[in-house]
Amino acid sequence: MNTKNKIALITGGSRGLGKNMALAIAKKGIDVILTYNSNKEAADDVVGEIESLGQKAVAFQLNTSDTKSFDNFIKQSTSWLQEQKGSPNFDFLINNAGTALYALASETTEEQLDAIFNIHYKGVFFLTQKALPFINDGGSIINISSGLSRLSIPGSSVYGSMKGAVEVLTRYLAKELGPRKIRVNVIAPGAIETDFGGGRTRDNKEINYRIASLTALGRVGLPDDIGGVVAFLCTEDAGWINGQRIEVSGGQAL
């Protein structure tokens, strides 16, 4: 399988699942552009780790809820690619950036809903749209959903709904981009021990135990459980997987 000279762009790659995805992709011999929202130091550390693996990497600041910043970000990224690679194009787009919201439907404010919509759906939609002219034919788009699009847990109605929308969008994109041989899939992680949502799955023993007890493999997920699956979807071995929702949860609530 030849991944030489392939390039992935991953949003939210400075920490958590995004960092793990970026490193797993780099281990496949793929160069990486990653974005961070505010923590430049953490992003630069990930760049250093990727470079230590022998791959090229760069980190750019991007607030994925601010669609007005996308043109400048795309220009920044494609200029770097032109300089480093002699072409502004890349191969893989991983829409990973996101934030949590825990609020009952009866208590959710319009501002909270708008914030989650902007980062989890509107941002994904328009960043993908802006990136499409620069994704090589035969490339791949990987969107990140959540087990909460399948499971209904009180307090996650807005977050789960937006992830459900991304799953439907994924199928439409797969069909529309078929003539360009661009595959589009969506990964739905189960509960993972990261700092996402304030680290509640990782740090709250009661929540951790409850999730583990509902999971066929008997534990809560770790970042290493996710990155490798995303990296696999960036390889030719996954060349016939398209328009699919792949839940990576250890068999949660089967």
Side-chain angles (χ1 to χ4, degrees):
M1 183 209 64
N2 183 20
T3 53
K4 186 175 173 59
N5 296 322
K6 301 282 188 181
I7 304 131
L9 192 166
I10 176 167
T11 63
S14 64
R15 61 186 178 88
L17 291 186
K19 174 182 177 180
N20 193 272
M21 294 172 198
L23 292 172
I25 288 168
K27 288 173 184 173
K28 294 288 187 184
I30 299 168
D31 295 333
V32 179
I33 297 172
L34 61 95
T35 78
Y36 64 95
N37 184 34
S38 58
N39 194 336
K40 183 179 188 301
E41 186 178 354
D44 287 341
D45 285 346
V46 178
V47 168
E49 287 188 58
I50 293 170
E51 289 175 341
S52 74
L53 295 169
Q55 299 306 129
K56 290 183 178 177
V58 68
F60 294 124
Q61 194 280 330
L62 178 68
N63 176 357
T64 54
S65 68
D66 180 13
T67 56
K68 290 181 175 58
S69 70
F70 289 178
D71 282 334
N72 185 61
F73 167 71
I74 292 292
K75 184 177 180 182
Q76 194 176 26
S77 299
T78 55
S79 295
W80 182 85
L81 286 166
Q82 183 70 52
E83 181 184 317
Q84 295 288 324
K85 300 286 190 176
S87 166
N89 290 4
F90 60 98
D91 302 281
F92 311 110
L93 172 64
I94 298 97
N95 287 305
N96 167 71
T99 56
L101 171 65
Y102 303 105
L104 294 172
S106 58
E107 299 168 359
T108 300
T109 66
E110 187 172 352
E111 289 76 18
Q112 286 176 316
L113 188 148
D114 285 346
I116 295 298
F117 169 75
N118 285 339
I119 193 166
H120 285 288
Y121 186 79
K122 184 179 178 181
V124 169
F125 186 99
F126 284 108
L127 184 62
T128 300
Q129 184 189 78
K130 298 285 187 185
L132 278 176
F134 301 100
I135 298 176
N136 284 319
D137 289 359
S140 178
I141 298 169
I142 302 160
N143 296 321
I144 308 302
S145 180
S146 167
L148 293 168
S149 66
R150 177 176 67 87
L151 307 176
S152 301
I153 298 176
S156 291
S157 63
V158 172
Y159 179 84
S161 296
M162 298 307 170
K163 290 303 192 182
V166 165
E167 293 182 6
V168 174
L169 174 64
T170 297
R171 296 198 300 273
Y172 274 89
L173 288 172
K175 198 142 196 178
E176 291 185 14
L177 299 176
R180 292 182 56 191
K181 303 297 186 284
I182 294 174
R183 298 177 297 109
V184 191
N185 293 290
V186 60
I187 292 284
I192 307 290
E193 292 186 6
T194 69
D195 59 3
F196 187 77
R200 57 191 262 155
T201 299
R202 179 191 61 200
D203 302 332
N204 185 311
K205 295 283 192 291
E206 182 183 340
I207 292 175
N208 194 292
Y209 175 80
R210 188 167 73 246
I211 293 167
S213 69
L214 292 171
T215 302
L217 293 181
R219 64 170 175 83
V220 172
L222 301 170
D224 280 345
D225 296 320
I226 308 300
V229 180
V230 173
F232 162 69
L233 288 174
C234 294
T235 70
E236 293 170 10
D237 290 339
W240 203 234
I241 300 175
N242 193 26
Q244 300 304 303
R245 176 191 190 271
I246 303 172
E247 182 164 317
V248 190
S249 68
Q252 190 174 330
L254 295 176

